[in-house]
Amino acid sequence: VSCNGVLFDGAQIGQRGVYVTGANLNFYENTFVNFYTLTLSAISIFIDYSVQTDKVATIRNNKITEMYGATRAILAVSPTSATGNCKVVIQDNYFNNIFGREGDVMQFTDQLPDGSQSNSRVIVQGNYIGYSNRRGVKAQGNNVTVKNNTFKTIDKNHPMWGLDGQGGAGVFSAFP
C-alpha cells in the first residue's frame, strides 16, 4: 500500500485516518489534521503488524498536527505472535499539537498474550515532535530504536515526556 501527497482532514469530528494490516506500507508527504474525539482514541495512522511476519511500514516526511481528545498520532500494535522480520520506520516527520487524555504522539506495542514481547523492529529517527501533553514516544516492547529526533515542549506548565520505554530490550537514544 502506498499513499503520497494526500490530505486527511478529520474536520474535528473524524476519529481515524488510516488503518493498515497489509505488508509494505509506504506513506510519504501526507498531511493529517484535525482528528478529534472525547471518548475513544483519535488515531491518524494505525498499523496492525500482527497479521504479517515480514511487514515493512515506512512513514516518512508526513505532517500530523492538531489532534485533540484521547489521541495517538501513530499507533503500531502486534497483539499476537508476530515474529520474524516486521519493521516499522517512522522518519523525518513533523508532529505537533497532540493533546488528550492519553495524548501520546507515537505508541508501539508488541506484547504477546503470555506477557512477553515479539521481535518486531521499530525505528523512530529524524522527527520533529512538538507539543504533546503526554509522551513523544511510548515504547512497549523489544527492539525500538529512537535516535536523532527533536522533542520540543512549549508550555512549562505541561511538559511533555520525550520517551517512555516500558519493558523489552532495545536502543533508546532520544537526543542526538
Side-chain angles (χ1 to χ4, degrees):
V1 175
S2 291
C3 183
N4 301 24
V6 176
L7 169 63
F8 295 88
D9 188 343
Q12 295 185 348
I13 57 173
Q15 297 177 7
R16 302 284 197 273
V18 177
Y19 176 73
V20 178
T21 59
N24 300 321
L25 164 70
N26 293 296
F27 261 63
Y28 297 95
E29 299 175 358
N30 299 292
T31 300
F32 295 82
V33 295
N34 299 319
F35 286 86
Y36 179 86
T37 182
L38 292 177
T39 57
L40 299 171
S41 186
I43 301 170
S44 293
I45 301 173
F46 186 115
I47 304 165
D48 180 351
Y49 56 97
S50 64
V51 183
Q52 303 282 337
T53 59
D54 60 350
K55 178 179 285 193
V56 176
T58 304
I59 300 169
R60 185 174 289 145
N61 294 325
N62 296 282
K63 179 180 180 181
I64 301 177
T65 186
E66 309 307 324
M67 295 185 65
Y68 303 95
T71 303
R72 301 278 190 278
I74 295 177
L75 175 62
V77 299
S78 178
T80 61
S81 59
T83 58
N85 297 317
C86 295
K87 184 176 181 182
V88 177
V89 177
I90 313 294
Q91 186 172 2
D92 300 329
N93 298 285
Y94 175 87
F95 301 95
N96 199 36
N97 293 336
I98 312 297
F99 300 100
R101 183 176 47 85
E102 290 295 321
D104 297 326
V105 176
M106 290 174 259
Q107 180 179 359
F108 307 103
T109 303
D110 63 359
Q111 196 150 16
L112 303 176
D114 67 0
S116 64
Q117 281 91 25
S118 69
N119 284 323
S120 301
R121 296 168 291 152
V122 176
I123 299 169
V124 179
Q125 179 175 342
N127 299 288
Y128 173 88
I129 302 168
Y131 185 65
S132 167
N133 66 314
R134 294 278 292 188
R135 294 166 280 232
V137 177
K138 180 179 181 181
Q140 298 170 299
N142 288 324
N143 301 319
V144 177
T145 301
V146 180
K147 62 182 182 178
N148 299 324
N149 295 282
T150 298
F151 295 87
K152 175 106 175 159
T153 297
I154 60 171
D155 183 349
K156 67 180 180 178
N157 296 316
H158 301 95
M160 171 182 67
W161 298 1
L163 178 64
D164 181 8
Q166 301 177 2
V171 176
F172 295 104
S173 174
F175 304 99

